[in-house]
């Protein structure tokens, strides 16, 4: 139990995760650009308003949290926020690349950097919500795939670097999960979307909470979650 920072908590998976963490007895702080919407997700958690497309603004927000003593019991950081624009390389302009890399990986790196002193003190846990495109390129999804590949490398580097300080690092690879993001992506690809065939966000959330509950001698470095055969 302890304090967990979660990005993307206004989204499908992040909201389920924040709710599951609270149910498990954790104190959750959501980091997002419109934390006023947390209530609409049924969440009664503290929010810090930051646009993750501007990683440079995180230092001020996290500094204020630290100054208020709010990081003293920081136990974990879960990076869940992402955008997933569908565009061929031929059509993706510099803004698409810049925004996708900033939200999906640059902010994750910066938020990790800023909270590492607290996470080292607690021998805490950093969880990166990745995706299958983080392991292979996909036509018309290069900015997303590239950002998730970079996120995987960030996690692997961090795991090695922080082994001596006791900080645990996990990458989660969810399969298709029933959220607005997946619905929009499937529409953009011209593929069908049936939420009944997808992972439920709360199922995925329960698995992430389980990852955080590992005993002292071992933990899950990578977790691939797929829908059960129907
Ligand atoms: N759904 C799937 O099938 C699936 C599969 C594999 C991996 N994933 C991964 O799971 C994670 C969550 O996905 P999801 O399906 O829950 O997506 P989602 O419902 O679209 O949620 C995305 C979250 O990211 C936040 N976000 C986007 N841009 C932001 C910005 N500039 N600043 C701050 N926050 C920002 C959104 O905030 P706003 O509410 O303000 O937009 C929202 O909370 C992502 O990392 C995604 O890559 C999803």
């Amino acid at each position: 139990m302890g304090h967990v920072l979660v990005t993307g908590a206004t989204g499908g998976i992040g909201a389920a995760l924040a709710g599951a963490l609270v149910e498990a007895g954790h104190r959750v702080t959501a980091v997002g650009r419109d934390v006023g919407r947390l209530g609409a997700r049924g969440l009664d958690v503290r929010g810090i308003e930051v646009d993750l497309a501007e990683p440079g603004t995180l230092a001020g927000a996290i500094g204020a949290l630290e100054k208020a003593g709010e990081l003293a019991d920081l136990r974990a950081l879960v990076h869940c926020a992402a955008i997933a624009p569908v565009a061929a390389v031929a059509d993706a302009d510099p803004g698409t690349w810049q925004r996708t890399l900033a939200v999906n990986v640059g902010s994750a790196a910066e938020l990790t950097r800023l909270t590492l002193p607290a996470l080292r003190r607690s021998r805490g846990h950093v969880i990166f919500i990745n995706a299958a495109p983080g392991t292979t390129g996909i036509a018309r999804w290069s900015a997303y795939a590239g950002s998730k590949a970079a996120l995987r490398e960030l996690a692997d580097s961090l795991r090695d670097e922080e082994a001596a300080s006791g900080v645990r690092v996990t990458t989660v690879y969810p399969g298709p999960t029933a959220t607005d993001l997946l619905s929009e992506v499937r529409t953009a690809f011209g593929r069908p979307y049936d939420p009944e065939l997808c992972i439920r966000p709360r199922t995925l959330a329960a698995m992430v909470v389980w990852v955080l509950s590992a005993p002292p001698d071992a933990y899950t470095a990578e977790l691939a979650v797929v829908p059960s055969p129907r």
Side-chain angles (χ1 to χ4, degrees), residues 8 10-13 33 37 51-52 80-82 130 144 148 174 177 179:
T10 50
I13 292 172
R33 61 183 164 179
R37 289 191 15 248
D51 183 350
L52 297 177
C80 193
N130 206 299
Y144 182 63
K148 290 297 194 183
T177 307
T179 70

Side-chain angles (χ1 to χ4, degrees), residues 125-141:
H125 204 145
V126 185
I127 297 187
F128 296 89
I129 307 298
N130 206 299
T135 61
T136 181
I138 295 183
R140 298 181 58 213
W141 227 9

Side-chain angles (χ1 to χ4, degrees), residues 7-14 31-34 37 41 50-54 79-84 99 103-104 129-133 144 148 173-182 184 204:
T7 70
T10 50
I13 292 172
V31 180
R33 61 183 164 179
D34 189 3
R37 289 191 15 248
R41 285 288 194 184
V50 185
D51 183 350
L52 297 177
E54 304 287 343
H79 299 289
C80 193
I83 54 172
R99 193 169 174 77
V103 173
N104 295 9
I129 307 298
N130 206 299
Y144 182 63
K148 290 297 194 183
Y173 296 98
T177 307
T179 70
D180 293 348
L181 181 143
L182 183 64
E184 285 159 21
L204 186 65

Side-chain angles (χ1 to χ4, degrees), residues 213-226:
S213 71
D217 60 313
Y219 78 102
T220 305
E222 292 194 322
L223 177 70
V225 183
V226 297

Side-chain angles (χ1 to χ4, degrees), residues 176-201:
T177 307
T179 70
D180 293 348
L181 181 143
L182 183 64
S183 167
E184 285 159 21
V185 163
R186 287 278 175 88
T187 301
F189 276 111
R191 290 179 54 201
Y193 169 66
D194 179 351
E196 291 302 316
L197 299 179
C198 299
I199 301 162
R200 292 189 196 116

